[in-house]
Amino acid sequence: MVPHLITALTGPINELEQRILDSMPAIERWFRLEWMEHTPPFYSSVDIRNAGFKLAPVDTNLYPGGWNNLTPEMLPLAVQAAMAAIEKICPEAKNLLVIPENHTRNTFYLSNVAQLKRIFHMAGLNVRIGSIDPEIKQPTTVDLPTGEQITLEPVIRSRRRLGLKDFDPCTILLNNDLSAGAPGILEDLHEQYLLPPLHAGWSVRRKSRHFQAYEEVSKRFGKLLGIDPWLINPLYAKCGEVNFAEGSGLDCLTSNVDALLTKVRRKYKEYGINEKPFVVVKADNGTYGMGIMTVRDVKDLEVLNRKTKNKMSIIKDGQPVSDVIIQEGVLTNERMNEAVAEPVVYMMDRYVVGGFYRIHAERGVDENLNAPGASFVPLAFAESSHLPQPGQKPGASAPNRFYMYGVIGRLAMLAASYELEATDPDAEIYD
């Protein structure tokens, strides 16, 4: 099913879509050459916002949950991509251990783990779920909303390897974003592939570093297409040492918000855009839509209430916030049944394998949709992501739109590969 979207499609996005479709052979060759030089993240998901005048990624997740929101029609693409990814890393792979997040009681999250298990089982691997949660001391079976069951088993660390009772995997897939830091049990593994690597976790990763890499990618891609990179790139700034609870470091935040709003106003004026600019302040690390606020006017920062300060002070696993990224806000002009919607693109290895619309009936066009109350509608990627239809008018064809989303998603994935190379602790050996 192609979602019926009431999309405010104004000129620039139509022109961008047309430019992308016309340049398809050049784009695919460009990506091909990039992947000869750079290794894509094992899997990723990218949140995209379509403002009608601008289309940009606003978040890139290297430990994506939500695989359960992909439809059965999308699974063959995911299975093929999983086969390609495993073949590159460990061609003789037989056993795969999946390590989920520690909050084991969230059955919707565990449905995502069950979907990952299904994908890799269909790719020809024996798959089991191993928990590093200290509360899991024996095999624990959980009933899922789908009617399925999933069994979590306590991981066992031998001197150099990680596994389960009577199960020795050559590959370990993390679906745990390590917000609280990398536990020692995952370090110094011998002849086992840990995917993604530990330095992809939020204890090391920074959104500002990712968007710095994305800025570089967007400039090079903009040059390829002959477009202003701003049309696909959210401007950003960052601040370190902000303490919302104590109110310290807010001068840095105020000056950076002011400067960024000024830059965005300038771009809006250049393009004749009548919308009110805004920025989004986020914790520079972390996920789950925590530690995020929308700022429409620098004066808003003078009157932060206690609730907002508390919300901004702590993210997942109780980690305190000290560094923030200030990101140009990108409106979402996509709708489903009058509710605000944004596309999320899922990738494995270098392939787009599916996606969905995140929808939130109670949020505005300039607000974060990754919040309680969100729902999900699948994108019709399965039959269309690599089969755009040149010759059709922009905006008329879902495959054309989804191809464009897939291009932006892959640009963010490429930025993530640059980012991981820059933070790889072993890379210094080769410098």
Side-chain angles (χ1 to χ4, degrees):
M1 181 194 108
V2 177
H4 175 63
L5 285 160
I6 306 160
T7 311
L9 267 179
T10 50
I13 283 296
N14 278 353
E15 288 164 25
L16 182 62
E17 186 178 308
Q18 193 65 59
R19 187 71 61 96
I20 285 174
L21 290 169
D22 292 346
S23 308
M24 199 173 117
I27 289 169
E28 295 306 321
R29 177 177 181 273
W30 186 81
F31 274 123
R32 234 177 4 254
L33 295 175
E34 286 290 331
W35 297 131
M36 286 170 73
E37 299 286 328
H38 305 282
T39 304
F42 186 77
Y43 58 0
S44 53
S45 68
V46 178
D47 296 356
I48 295 172
R49 305 273 287 209
N50 181 354
F53 54 84
K54 176 175 184 133
L55 182 76
V58 292
D59 208 9
T60 300
N61 191 348
L62 299 184
Y63 298 90
W67 289 91
N68 50 312
N69 294 317
L70 270 55
T71 60
E73 292 78 21
M74 293 174 188
L75 287 193
L77 278 176
V79 170
Q80 283 179 319
M83 284 175 170
I86 291 289
E87 206 172 289
K88 278 198 305 199
I89 292 154
C90 182
E92 69 280 7
K94 186 171 70 170
N95 295 338
L96 175 78
L97 179 65
V98 178
I99 296 183
E101 294 280 359
N102 286 356
H103 51 68
T104 52
R105 287 171 192 78
N106 183 334
T107 53
F108 289 102
Y109 169 73
L110 290 174
S111 297
N112 142 77
V113 177
Q115 181 85 304
L116 279 172
K117 181 178 178 180
R118 188 178 298 114
I119 288 166
F120 286 98
H121 176 74
M122 289 161 78
L125 294 165
N126 302 313
V127 187
R128 281 164 69 178
I129 314 300
S131 177
I132 56 174
D133 187 339
E135 290 179 25
I136 302 285
K137 294 184 169 61
Q138 58 194 39
T140 304
T141 300
V142 182
D143 294 321
L144 301 177
T146 53
E148 299 171 279
Q149 290 184 320
I150 189 169
T151 301
L152 302 160
E153 302 177 68
V155 296
I156 298 167
R157 173 76 193 233
S158 63
R159 210 171 108 246
R160 302 289 302 278
R161 289 175 78 83
L162 199 63
L164 305 174
K165 191 168 183 252
D166 306 321
F167 188 75
D168 184 35
C170 96
T171 308
I172 297 160
L173 178 65
L174 279 178
N175 197 243
N176 178 324
D177 64 22
L178 309 177
S179 289
I185 196 169
L186 297 177
E187 293 177 340
D188 301 320
L189 296 174
H190 182 62
E191 292 182 354
Q192 282 181 310
Y193 296 94
L194 185 65
L195 304 167
L198 291 179
H199 67 279
W202 280 123
S203 51
V204 175
R205 205 174 159 227
R206 293 292 176 269
K207 292 173 187 173
S208 53
R209 196 181 283 124
H210 174 75
F211 281 99
Q212 181 183 6
Y214 183 80
E215 187 172 20
E216 185 189 331
V217 167
S218 65
K219 280 177 182 168
R220 293 183 38 235
F221 187 76
K223 198 171 177 185
L224 175 78
L225 258 62
I227 60 165
D228 177 355
W230 177 76
L231 294 172
I232 56 169
N233 177 39
L235 303 173
Y236 78 97
K238 65 173 190 166
C239 276
E241 302 308 315
V242 176
N243 187 320
F244 285 96
E246 292 175 9
S248 60
L250 295 184
D251 290 352
C252 171
L253 186 61
T254 303
S255 61
N256 275 287
V257 165
D258 195 25
L260 195 58
L261 281 170
T262 302
K263 275 187 192 170
V264 178
R265 274 188 211 104
R266 207 173 291 140
K267 292 305 281 187
Y268 277 23
K269 192 174 177 188
E270 182 186 333
Y271 281 92
I273 294 158
N274 294 321
E275 305 288 351
K276 184 176 171 60
F278 66 102
V279 298
V280 178
V281 178
K282 308 180 189 180
D284 204 7
N285 61 332
T287 183
Y288 283 91
M290 299 174 81
I292 296 179
M293 67 176 177
T294 300
V295 182
R296 300 169 186 86
D297 192 306
V298 78
K299 293 193 191 80
D300 298 350
L301 295 173
E302 294 166 16
V303 288
L304 290 182
N305 59 30
R306 184 184 293 276
K307 187 181 171 189
T308 303
K309 285 180 178 176
N310 288 344
K311 185 183 83 167
M312 292 300 296
S313 296
I314 290 175
I315 51 170
K316 186 175 164 241
D317 292 342
Q319 296 299 302
V321 173
S322 61
D323 296 355
V324 296
I325 178 172
I326 301 125
Q327 192 177 61
E328 173 190 350
V330 182
L331 294 165
T332 177
N333 268 328
E334 308 221 51
R335 301 283 183 285
M336 179 163 288
N337 301 329
E338 299 304 311
V340 175
E342 67 186 6
V344 185
V345 175
Y346 274 63
M347 291 161 290
M348 194 172 288
D349 194 58
R350 59 197 176 96
Y351 305 102
V352 173
V353 298
F356 51 81
Y357 277 101
R358 182 186 286 123
I359 293 159
H360 206 305
E362 290 156 30
R363 291 282 168 122
V365 295
D366 59 356
E367 291 183 296
N368 167 42
L369 305 189
N370 187 6
S375 57
F376 308 96
V377 174
L379 288 173
F381 263 121
E383 62 275 2
S384 63
S385 61
H386 292 300
L387 297 171
Q389 298 159 3
Q392 285 217 1
K393 278 194 308 195
S397 153
N400 288 354
R401 174 62 52 76
F402 299 154
Y403 176 72
M404 183 167 68
Y405 291 161
V407 167
I408 299 296
R410 286 183 288 163
L411 290 174
M413 171 169 58
L414 179 59
S417 74
Y418 287 17
E419 176 196 355
L420 290 179
E421 283 165 18
T423 55
D424 185 348
D426 300 324
E428 289 149 4
I429 299 167
Y430 309 106
D431 281 353

